[in-house]
Amino acid sequence: MGFPAGVRRDFAALEKRRMQAARLLEKGYSQSEVARRVGAHRQSVSQWAAELEQNGRAGLKKAGRAGRKPRLSAADLLKIEQGLKRGPEALGYESGLWTTTRVAHLIEQECGVTYHPSQAWRILRQLGWSCQRPAGRALERDEQKIQQWKKKRWPEIKKKPKIKAGRSSSSTKAD
């Protein structure tokens, strides 16, 4: 079973549930009855009972965080965001376009932590950054001439709808 992806566990509530189960077990309730009352699987209650017998209530205390500890601290994430705002030119790149490889390089420079470019994207999302593709435009682009062309030349060459003829020969006239 477990929790759906992205749902955080409430460790305090889980510990409270284990302690409630411990009280019921100490009162002599069966493991099945305890499982029903606290809303847990019987197998979990069985593990809790064994832990309670071996280590007492201290064994049922909060287990701590789940999963691997993050490699970047909140201060590191702040450094990365500041580096992103400075732009890739600050790292010596010629263009102002961030790629995941460049972001991974930034993370290594700022925090000393090496990430694969595919994982750098995860860090970007965590910081609230999204994929942005720059609009490809010629350096020689003349906006004034483009607007003039759109207003004058384009209407002249644009295909116009054909003029609708009168009634077709298949239509019937009312006499």
Side-chain angles (χ1 to χ4, degrees):
M1 281 270 184
F3 289 86
V7 175
R8 299 235 181 242
R9 288 177 272 186
D10 182 357
F11 290 108
L14 293 172
E15 181 179 337
K16 184 178 174 184
R17 183 170 72 164
R18 288 191 301 271
M19 291 303 159
Q20 182 185 359
R23 282 191 298 277
L24 294 171
L25 288 167
E26 288 168 345
K27 287 181 181 178
Y29 285 95
S30 71
Q31 290 181 8
S32 304
E33 181 60 25
V34 172
R36 273 191 292 280
R37 288 186 178 216
V38 298
H41 287 281
R42 194 176 41 78
Q43 294 89 338
S44 297
V45 176
S46 176
Q47 290 174 348
W48 298 341
E51 189 67 35
L52 183 65
E53 190 176 312
Q54 212 171 29
N55 300 316
R57 285 192 181 203
L60 297 176
K61 288 280 186 194
K62 199 175 356 176
R65 65 167 280 108
R68 184 183 295 189
K69 290 184 180 175
R71 293 165 60 194
L72 298 172
S73 67
D76 289 336
L77 293 173
L78 188 61
K79 284 184 200 174
I80 292 166
E81 186 149 29
Q82 289 170 348
L84 288 168
K85 288 178 182 175
R86 284 193 304 267
E89 293 93 343
L91 285 177
Y93 293 106
E94 290 181 18
S95 70
L97 182 68
W98 279 114
T99 64
T100 54
T101 304
R102 291 178 180 187
V103 173
H105 180 228
L106 170 72
I107 294 169
E108 190 171 358
Q109 290 292 313
E110 293 291 326
C111 309
V113 179
T114 306
Y115 275 97
H116 189 273
S118 65
Q119 294 305 308
W121 175 242
R122 186 178 49 80
I123 304 291
L124 285 173
R125 280 197 326 254
Q126 183 180 351
L127 292 171
W129 286 61
S130 63
C131 180
Q132 304 285 321
R133 293 191 187 265
R137 293 202 169 137
L139 295 174
E140 305 85 15
R141 186 177 170 102
D142 186 346
E143 291 294 330
Q144 198 172 25
K145 284 184 181 178
I146 292 170
Q147 290 304 318
Q148 187 178 5
W149 185 88
K150 283 182 179 178
K151 285 180 184 172
K152 293 183 181 171
R153 183 71 178 124
W154 175 243
E156 292 171 9
I157 61 174
K158 185 175 150 183
K159 289 185 178 179
K160 294 181 175 89
K162 293 182 181 177
I163 299 170
K164 290 186 178 180
R167 293 186 178 164
S168 66
S169 59
S170 64
S171 65
T172 56
K173 292 184 183 180
D175 288 317

